[in-house]
Short mmCIF file of all heavy atoms in Angstrom, two decimals:
data_model
loop_
_atom_site.label_atom_id
_atom_site.label_comp_id
_atom_site.label_asym_id
_atom_site.label_seq_id
_atom_site.Cartn_x
_atom_site.Cartn_y
_atom_site.Cartn_z
N ALA A 173 -29.31 34.73 -3.28
CA ALA A 173 -29.00 33.34 -3.63
C ALA A 173 -27.56 33.29 -4.11
O ALA A 173 -27.00 34.30 -4.55
CB ALA A 173 -29.95 32.82 -4.70
N GLU A 174 -26.96 32.11 -4.01
CA GLU A 174 -25.57 31.94 -4.42
C GLU A 174 -25.38 30.57 -5.06
O GLU A 174 -26.05 29.61 -4.69
CB GLU A 174 -24.63 32.12 -3.23
CG GLU A 174 -25.00 31.28 -2.03
CD GLU A 174 -24.42 31.79 -0.71
OE1 GLU A 174 -24.84 32.87 -0.23
OE2 GLU A 174 -23.56 31.08 -0.15
N ALA A 175 -24.51 30.51 -6.05
CA ALA A 175 -24.21 29.25 -6.74
C ALA A 175 -22.71 29.15 -6.94
O ALA A 175 -22.05 30.14 -7.26
CB ALA A 175 -24.94 29.18 -8.08
N TYR A 176 -22.19 27.94 -6.75
CA TYR A 176 -20.75 27.70 -6.77
C TYR A 176 -20.39 26.61 -7.76
O TYR A 176 -21.15 25.66 -7.95
CB TYR A 176 -20.26 27.21 -5.41
CG TYR A 176 -20.53 28.12 -4.25
CD1 TYR A 176 -21.74 28.09 -3.58
CD2 TYR A 176 -19.55 28.99 -3.80
CE1 TYR A 176 -21.99 28.91 -2.49
CE2 TYR A 176 -19.78 29.81 -2.70
CZ TYR A 176 -21.00 29.77 -2.06
OH TYR A 176 -21.24 30.58 -0.98
N MET A 177 -19.21 26.71 -8.33
CA MET A 177 -18.60 25.61 -9.06
C MET A 177 -17.16 25.48 -8.55
O MET A 177 -16.28 26.23 -8.91
CB MET A 177 -18.62 25.87 -10.57
CG MET A 177 -18.16 24.68 -11.42
SD MET A 177 -16.37 24.67 -11.67
CE MET A 177 -16.16 26.02 -12.81
N CYS A 178 -16.97 24.52 -7.63
CA CYS A 178 -15.64 24.27 -7.08
C CYS A 178 -14.91 23.18 -7.86
O CYS A 178 -13.68 23.23 -7.98
CB CYS A 178 -15.75 23.84 -5.61
SG CYS A 178 -16.36 25.11 -4.49
N PHE A 179 -15.65 22.20 -8.35
CA PHE A 179 -15.03 21.01 -8.94
C PHE A 179 -15.31 20.96 -10.43
O PHE A 179 -16.46 21.01 -10.86
CB PHE A 179 -15.59 19.75 -8.27
CG PHE A 179 -15.54 19.78 -6.77
CD1 PHE A 179 -16.71 19.69 -6.03
CD2 PHE A 179 -14.34 19.91 -6.10
CE1 PHE A 179 -16.68 19.72 -4.65
CE2 PHE A 179 -14.30 19.94 -4.72
CZ PHE A 179 -15.46 19.84 -3.98
N TRP A 180 -14.24 20.84 -11.22
CA TRP A 180 -14.40 20.64 -12.65
C TRP A 180 -13.21 19.83 -13.17
O TRP A 180 -12.12 19.84 -12.61
CB TRP A 180 -14.52 21.96 -13.40
CG TRP A 180 -13.35 22.90 -13.26
CD1 TRP A 180 -13.17 23.85 -12.30
CD2 TRP A 180 -12.21 22.98 -14.12
NE1 TRP A 180 -11.98 24.52 -12.49
CE2 TRP A 180 -11.37 24.01 -13.60
CE3 TRP A 180 -11.81 22.30 -15.26
CZ2 TRP A 180 -10.16 24.36 -14.19
CZ3 TRP A 180 -10.59 22.65 -15.86
CH2 TRP A 180 -9.79 23.67 -15.33
N GLY A 181 -13.48 19.11 -14.26
CA GLY A 181 -12.45 18.30 -14.87
C GLY A 181 -13.06 17.28 -15.81
O GLY A 181 -14.23 16.91 -15.68
N ASN A 182 -12.29 16.87 -16.81
CA ASN A 182 -12.73 15.88 -17.79
C ASN A 182 -14.04 16.30 -18.46
O ASN A 182 -14.90 15.48 -18.75
CB ASN A 182 -12.90 14.51 -17.12
CG ASN A 182 -12.91 13.36 -18.12
OD1 ASN A 182 -12.19 13.38 -19.11
ND2 ASN A 182 -13.74 12.36 -17.87
N GLY A 183 -14.18 17.62 -18.69
CA GLY A 183 -15.35 18.13 -19.39
C GLY A 183 -16.60 18.27 -18.56
O GLY A 183 -17.68 18.55 -19.10
N GLN A 184 -16.51 18.10 -17.24
CA GLN A 184 -17.68 18.19 -16.37
C GLN A 184 -17.45 19.21 -15.26
O GLN A 184 -16.31 19.49 -14.88
CB GLN A 184 -17.98 16.83 -15.75
CG GLN A 184 -18.30 15.73 -16.76
CD GLN A 184 -18.63 14.43 -16.07
OE1 GLN A 184 -19.64 14.31 -15.38
NE2 GLN A 184 -17.78 13.44 -16.25
N ALA A 185 -18.55 19.73 -14.74
CA ALA A 185 -18.50 20.68 -13.63
C ALA A 185 -19.63 20.36 -12.66
O ALA A 185 -20.77 20.13 -13.07
CB ALA A 185 -18.63 22.11 -14.13
N GLU A 186 -19.31 20.35 -11.37
CA GLU A 186 -20.31 20.10 -10.33
C GLU A 186 -20.64 21.43 -9.66
O GLU A 186 -19.75 22.14 -9.21
CB GLU A 186 -19.78 19.11 -9.31
CG GLU A 186 -20.78 18.76 -8.22
CD GLU A 186 -20.34 17.59 -7.36
OE1 GLU A 186 -19.55 16.75 -7.85
OE2 GLU A 186 -20.78 17.52 -6.20
N ILE A 187 -21.93 21.75 -9.60
CA ILE A 187 -22.31 23.02 -8.99
C ILE A 187 -23.18 22.78 -7.76
O ILE A 187 -23.82 21.74 -7.60
CB ILE A 187 -23.04 23.94 -9.99
CG1 ILE A 187 -24.47 23.45 -10.27
CG2 ILE A 187 -22.27 24.09 -11.28
CD1 ILE A 187 -25.34 24.51 -10.90
N GLY A 188 -23.18 23.78 -6.89
CA GLY A 188 -24.06 23.79 -5.73
C GLY A 188 -24.79 25.12 -5.69
O GLY A 188 -24.29 26.13 -6.20
N VAL A 189 -25.97 25.13 -5.09
CA VAL A 189 -26.77 26.35 -5.04
C VAL A 189 -27.50 26.42 -3.70
O VAL A 189 -27.93 25.40 -3.16
CB VAL A 189 -27.77 26.41 -6.22
CG1 VAL A 189 -28.69 25.20 -6.22
CG2 VAL A 189 -28.58 27.69 -6.19
N VAL A 190 -27.60 27.63 -3.17
CA VAL A 190 -28.36 27.85 -1.93
C VAL A 190 -29.07 29.19 -2.03
O VAL A 190 -28.51 30.17 -2.53
CB VAL A 190 -27.44 27.81 -0.69
CG1 VAL A 190 -26.35 28.86 -0.76
CG2 VAL A 190 -28.24 27.97 0.59
N THR A 191 -30.33 29.20 -1.61
CA THR A 191 -31.11 30.44 -1.52
C THR A 191 -31.23 30.81 -0.05
O THR A 191 -31.54 29.96 0.79
CB THR A 191 -32.51 30.26 -2.12
OG1 THR A 191 -32.39 29.81 -3.46
CG2 THR A 191 -33.29 31.57 -2.09
N HIS A 192 -30.99 32.05 0.27
CA HIS A 192 -31.07 32.47 1.67
C HIS A 192 -32.51 32.34 2.16
O HIS A 192 -33.47 32.57 1.41
CB HIS A 192 -30.56 33.90 1.81
CG HIS A 192 -29.09 34.00 1.57
ND1 HIS A 192 -28.29 34.93 2.19
CD2 HIS A 192 -28.24 33.27 0.79
CE1 HIS A 192 -27.03 34.78 1.79
NE2 HIS A 192 -26.98 33.78 0.94
N GLU A 193 -32.65 31.98 3.41
CA GLU A 193 -33.93 31.51 3.95
C GLU A 193 -35.08 32.49 3.74
O GLU A 193 -36.21 32.09 3.45
CB GLU A 193 -33.77 31.21 5.45
CG GLU A 193 -34.94 30.48 6.05
CD GLU A 193 -34.65 29.98 7.45
OE1 GLU A 193 -33.49 30.08 7.89
OE2 GLU A 193 -35.60 29.49 8.10
N ASP A 194 -34.82 33.78 3.86
CA ASP A 194 -35.89 34.77 3.74
C ASP A 194 -36.34 34.99 2.30
O ASP A 194 -37.31 35.73 2.07
CB ASP A 194 -35.44 36.12 4.32
CG ASP A 194 -35.23 36.07 5.83
OD1 ASP A 194 -35.77 35.13 6.46
OD2 ASP A 194 -34.53 36.95 6.36
#
Side-chain angles (χ1 to χ4, degrees):
E174 51 201 68
Y176 302 85
M177 188 272 288
C178 294
F179 310 119
W180 60 272
N182 199 37
Q184 299 182 66
E186 182 170 334
I187 73 163
V189 57
V190 59
T191 304
H192 292 211
E193 191 170 353
D194 293 341

